[in-house]
Amino acid sequence: MKNSKITRKITQGVYVLTTKGGGCIVDAVSRASAGEQPLITVAVAKTNHSHKLLSENDRFALSVLGKDVDPEIIETFGFKSSKDIDKCTECETTEIEGVPVVKNSLGYMVCEKVDAIDAETHTIYIGRMVEADVLEDKAPMTYAWYQEHKGDLVKVKTEENKTAWVCMACGYVYYGDEVPDDYKCPLCGLGKDYFKKKD
């Protein structure tokens, strides 16, 4: 494969996926059917702790992010693990249909999980929408816009005497003199070649 970065040109939104116990930032979301209770799909990386949480729960929510989102939401749900912190207390959420939903969002969809499809590095979860609302009528953040502006959204805090290496695909930060040759990003699964030294 010559350059898989072309996939960044696929137009997608940016969402906070939540379920009981935590959540994460996702972009591979799609409506799979129509009607009052459409089917919604979301792909979640198997390396992500939220994948484990979603496999154990029957419902999940997707909060739609706008361009003026609080950067703290991106940092908390995108670059921290639910194994280490309670993300839903770090950022303001409210519970709807038994699932936490991000308050500072354009709206949300709460879905009841109906199926899961193995997709190599990810699992595609399919949910039937049981509750939803529009909170703000603004343009949603796209994945392409996020890639272009993530340096402004995520401020890398360099640890003392350590070099910060940023994954150009998802923004995860690795600290060390060099990124190991066999290192895989714990968020998106990509290798050393995708990491760039933070100046």
Side-chain angles (χ1 to χ4, degrees):
M1 184 177 295
K2 291 187 176 180
N3 193 344
S4 63
K5 292 181 182 179
I6 188 62
T7 58
R8 297 183 190 176
K9 302 299 183 183
I10 298 173
T11 301
Q12 303 170 138
V14 180
Y15 310 81
V16 175
L17 166 71
T18 45
T19 190
K20 287 183 180 177
C24 62
I25 298 288
V26 293
D27 58 84
V29 173
S30 180
R31 187 182 70 180
S33 72
E36 290 187 5
Q37 291 186 301
L39 294 176
I40 306 296
T41 68
V42 56
V44 184
K46 293 178 181 178
T47 55
N48 198 311
H49 183 64
S50 294
H51 181 276
K52 178 178 183 295
L53 296 176
L54 194 50
S55 70
E56 298 170 346
N57 288 293
D58 294 328
R59 290 191 171 186
F60 63 89
L62 292 160
S63 299
V64 183
L65 300 184
K67 293 178 181 178
D68 59 351
V69 66
D70 183 349
E72 188 67 27
I73 292 174
I74 298 288
E75 290 194 32
T76 299
F77 284 96
F79 308 118
K80 298 178 182 179
S81 175
S82 298
K83 290 186 293 187
D84 304 322
I85 64 166
D86 183 351
K87 295 183 181 182
C88 295
T89 58
E90 293 276 322
C91 295
E92 196 172 6
T93 61
T94 185
E95 191 170 291
I96 298 173
E97 296 288 334
V99 183
V101 170
V102 175
K103 283 190 174 182
N104 183 8
S105 66
L106 303 186
Y108 62 86
M109 297 165 274
V110 177
C111 299
E112 187 170 358
K113 192 170 66 178
V114 298
D115 204 354
I117 302 170
D118 184 87
E120 297 183 351
T121 58
H122 289 60
T123 297
I124 300 171
Y125 290 99
I126 304 173
R128 188 174 303 281
M129 195 168 71
V130 295
E131 184 60 65
D133 200 3
V134 176
L135 304 178
E136 287 193 82
D137 189 16
K138 295 181 179 179
M141 180 190 298
T142 65
Y143 181 66
W145 189 92
Y146 168 75
Q147 286 294 335
E148 187 178 343
H149 297 87
K150 66 183 175 186
D152 298 323
L153 290 169
V154 181
K155 304 301 181 185
V156 176
K157 302 175 181 67
T158 303
E159 295 182 3
E160 188 176 356
N161 299 323
K162 290 187 179 180
T163 302
W165 299 83
V166 183
C167 176
M168 293 296 99
C170 70
Y172 181 82
V173 182
Y174 173 84
Y175 292 101
D177 292 334
E178 293 287 340
V179 179
D181 290 339
D182 61 349
Y183 186 76
K184 299 292 183 185
C185 177
L187 288 183
C188 67
L190 295 175
K192 175 182 178 177
D193 292 343
Y194 282 82
F195 282 80
K196 181 179 179 182
K197 184 186 290 188
K198 180 71 175 179
D199 297 328

